């Protein structure tokens, strides 16, 4: 007869990192236990630009033990390991997976590498937090989720926009009917384009997965799943100078207009591009303009600043006609918190707001936009996610 051990005995026998890697997601999230002041072991792959923002956040998290870094440019992995006191660094994912044990892989590599590396990590039994997009196609993303379920691991993808207090305020206002029947929404995000790496402009790069992804996540998060998409995409700047490959031909869209019909009947629009002069710069710091606007029969609402770093919400309704600014305090939210939030979730068993089905839906919209541009057709979507996201 098999020996039965209690959950308490089991946890006493294992480190939390080990337990988190071992328990199925169902077991992990069905549980009522919470473990305080324990950490999950984390490996970070991709030590370029964004790692300079992720690593300070992860290294301050009480739920994270940074175990290893990895980059195919080994000097970058070494440099970040030394800077953030991380004991191991590797030049290849095979070596990282075979090296010092860890439970959560944080993927900060080129967009084109995400699917392959995420798959390899899940196959090795790791949980994954991936920068956007978590795969290059919806089918690939759905395959990763299926694999994660089989392996008993969890998978999540950036962005973390649904965590902002402004998103929560807007979601609540919509659900309370402050806007009446919502009819239309618009989002925009752009700058003059990254100049450090060529992958942003190569096949499967582009402004859709790099920039529009934020507005798509916010607008679908607020207004629910989309049932069909029409889009126009093109290239405004045919060549670019990049830090890693010099002058390159631009292949992926650098100018994109996506029109969506939500299941609720709302029509929304997201524009993004790498050719937008912005006097507030790449980060949009200090801008007072809205970047996301929602219109309904009883009111309208505008998110001030970019949705990944918002600074307030303006709302006017028939009841309170004068536009008032709400939620000017960001609280603890920062866009780079995704991996730390997920690490906390894996340790405490609390389900995060960020939802992989939502990320997959956004990925399907991006793919549908590309298909619509190619065929000139309106593209129907099949994926859904749990909505409203905040109840
Ligand atoms: N830079 C930003 O401000 C920013 C912000 C938010 C999200 N992102 C996202 O983060 C990701 C990375 O962007 P970035 O700007 O840091 O790019 P980057 O080019 O600066 O860094 C990517 C790093 O990944 C490494 N890499 C590539 N393939 C690898 C592999 N197979 N194994 C190990 N390492 C590999 C590269 O050598 C490079 O050091 C992208 O998905 C991007 O959309 C970037």
């Amino acid at each position: 007869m098999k020996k039965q051990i209690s959950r308490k005995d089991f946890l006493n026998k294992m480190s939390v990192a080990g337990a988190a890697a071992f328990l199925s997601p169902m077991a992990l999230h069905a549980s009522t236990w919470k473990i305080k002041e324990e950490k999950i072991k984390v490996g970070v792959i991709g030590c370029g630009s964004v790692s300079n923002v992720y690593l300070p956040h992860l290294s301050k998290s009480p739920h994270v033990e940074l175990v290893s870094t990895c980059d195919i440019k080994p000097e970058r992995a070494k440099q970040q390991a030394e800077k953030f006191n991380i004991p191991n660094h590797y030049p290849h994912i095979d070596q990282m997976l075979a090296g010092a044990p860890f439970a959560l892989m944080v993927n900060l590599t080129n967009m084109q590498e995400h699917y392959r590396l995420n798959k390899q990590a899940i196959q090795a039994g790791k949980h994954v937090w991936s920068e956007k997009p978590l795969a290059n196609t919806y089918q690939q993303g759905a395959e990763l989720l299926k694999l994660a379920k089989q392996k008993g691991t969890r998978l999540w993808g950036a962005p973390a926009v649904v965590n902002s207090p402004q998103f929560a305020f807007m979601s609540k206002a919509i659900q309370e009917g402050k806007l009446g029947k919502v009819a239309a929404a618009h989002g925009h995000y752009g700058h003059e384009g990254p100049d450090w790496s060529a992958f942003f402009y190569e096949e499967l790069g582009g402004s859709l997965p790099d920039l529009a992804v934020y507005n798509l996540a916010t607008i679908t998060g607020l207004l629910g799943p989309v049932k069909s998409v029409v889009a126009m995409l093109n290239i405004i700047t045919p060549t670019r100078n990049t830090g890693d490959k010099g002058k390159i031909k631009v292949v992926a869209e650098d100018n994109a207009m996506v029109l969506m019909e939500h299941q609720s009947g709302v029509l929304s629009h997201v524009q993004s591009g790498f050719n937008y002069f912005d006097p507030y710069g790449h980060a949009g710091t200090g801008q007072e303009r809205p970047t996301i606007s929602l219109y309904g029969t009883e009111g309208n609402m505008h998110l001030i600043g970019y949705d990944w770093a918002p600074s307030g919400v303006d709302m006017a309704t028939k009841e309170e006609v004068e536009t008032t600014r709400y939620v000017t305090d960001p609280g603890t939210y920062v866009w780079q918190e995704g991996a730390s939030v997920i690490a906390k979730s894996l340790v405490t068993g609390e389900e995060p707001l960020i939802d992989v089905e939502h990320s997959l839906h956004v990925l399907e919209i991006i793919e549908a936009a590309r298909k619509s541009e190619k065929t000139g057709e309106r593209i129907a979507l099949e994926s859904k996610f749990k909505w409203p996201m905040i109840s």
Side-chain angles (χ1 to χ4, degrees):
M1 206 176 98
K2 274 190 192 155
K3 191 178 169 210
Q4 304 276 325
I5 67 164
S6 69
R7 176 179 293 277
K8 196 171 153 217
D9 288 344
F10 173 70
L11 287 169
N12 284 341
K13 283 197 173 87
M14 297 186 71
S15 72
V16 173
F22 212 53
L23 289 170
S24 76
M26 292 308 287
L28 193 64
H29 294 284
S31 67
T32 50
W33 50 264
K34 290 202 194 325
I35 300 151
K36 294 201 176 91
E37 291 157 42
E38 294 282 7
K39 297 186 177 206
I40 186 164
K41 293 182 193 293
V42 174
V44 174
I45 188 163
C47 295
S49 163
V50 83
S51 72
N52 292 314
V53 197
Y54 265 73
L55 284 168
H57 199 273
L58 282 165
S59 59
K60 286 190 202 97
S61 165
H63 305 288
V64 169
E65 179 187 342
L66 285 163
V67 166
S68 46
T69 58
C70 175
D71 201 296
I72 45 170
K73 293 180 177 164
E75 68 287 358
R76 290 189 175 182
K78 182 168 183 281
Q79 198 184 4
Q80 293 298 52
E82 282 168 1
K83 189 169 170 191
F84 292 94
N85 276 326
I86 304 169
N88 308 285
H89 55 87
Y90 303 98
H92 195 281
I93 188 170
D94 289 352
Q95 282 158 270
M96 182 167 85
L97 291 174
F102 66 94
L104 169 66
M105 186 178 87
V106 174
N107 188 347
L108 309 180
T109 63
N110 305 6
M111 295 188 274
Q112 293 84 347
E113 292 289 90
H114 293 174
Y115 164 69
R116 185 174 70 83
L117 299 174
N118 291 342
K119 186 171 174 181
Q120 204 175 330
I122 295 166
Q123 275 167 336
K126 310 298 180 195
H127 305 292
V128 170
W129 167 264
S130 178
E131 251 307 328
K132 64 331 189 248
L134 56 81
N136 293 119
T137 67
Y138 171 66
Q139 283 313 325
Q140 286 179 347
E143 179 202 323
L144 289 182
L145 181 57
K146 194 171 161 203
L147 183 66
K149 284 180 177 164
Q150 282 166 2
K151 286 283 187 182
T153 70
R154 300 292 304 263
L155 163 72
W156 288 281
V161 285
V162 299
N163 285 350
S164 80
Q166 289 82 4
F167 180 90
F169 174 88
M170 292 172 90
S171 177
K172 187 164 177 274
I174 292 165
Q175 287 174 64
E176 287 173 353
K178 293 244 162 53
L179 304 190
K181 190 164 170 51
V182 183
H186 163 80
H188 67 268
Y189 177 31
H191 49 65
E192 290 173 86
D195 58 6
W196 53 93
S197 288
F199 74 82
F200 291 101
Y201 307 103
E202 292 174 340
E203 181 80 23
L204 299 172
S207 77
L208 285 175
D210 192 49
L211 304 183
V213 65
Y214 294 97
N215 285 179
L216 294 172
T218 299
I219 287 180
T220 54
L222 291 173
L223 299 174
V226 165
K227 63 178 180 187
S228 64
V229 168
V230 183
M232 286 193 197
L233 321 174
N234 65 9
I235 294 167
I236 294 292
T237 305
T239 59
R240 292 263 177 177
N241 285 316
T242 60
D244 59 342
K245 294 189 181 170
K247 190 171 176 181
I248 55 149
K249 186 171 179 295
V250 174
V251 175
E253 77 282 335
D254 69 1
N255 193 33
M257 295 282 179
V258 182
L259 195 55
M260 298 171 282
E261 182 188 18
H262 294 254
Q263 285 174 1
S264 61
V266 178
L267 299 180
S268 72
H269 169 258
V270 166
Q271 72 174 75
S272 67
F274 290 138
N275 302 282
Y276 294 4
F277 167 69
D278 184 344
Y280 295 95
H282 193 115
T285 312
Q287 66 177 313
E288 287 287 305
R289 299 169 304 160
T291 61
I292 292 191
S293 294
L294 276 66
Y295 299 91
T297 53
E298 302 291 316
N300 64 54
M301 199 159 55
H302 307 269
L303 182 70
I304 306 303
Y306 291 132
D307 53 355
W308 49 271
S311 56
V313 178
D314 283 356
M315 184 163 72
T317 63
K318 283 184 181 167
E319 272 180 16
E320 285 185 52
V321 176
E322 198 175 332
T323 298
T324 307
R325 182 156 299 179
Y326 300 90
V327 219
T328 50
D329 180 355
T332 61
Y333 166 80
V334 283
W335 65 267
Q336 64 270 32
E337 71 180 27
S340 308
V341 166
I342 262 47
K344 181 180 176 200
S345 166
L346 287 164
V347 171
T348 62
E350 286 166 28
E351 193 65 29
L353 273 182
I354 299 168
D355 171 16
V356 65
E357 304 272 3
H358 182 217
S359 305
L360 291 181
H361 187 67
V362 169
L363 189 52
E364 196 185 11
I365 295 173
I366 290 171
E367 210 183 353
R370 287 176 170 158
K371 205 168 169 188
S372 176
E373 162 56 31
K374 247 188 208 142
T375 61
E377 287 172 10
R378 180 174 182 147
I379 308 297
L381 303 193
E382 62 180 58
S383 63
K384 294 186 181 62
F385 60 95
K386 190 177 145 281
W387 183 80
M389 295 187 77
I390 303 178
S391 44

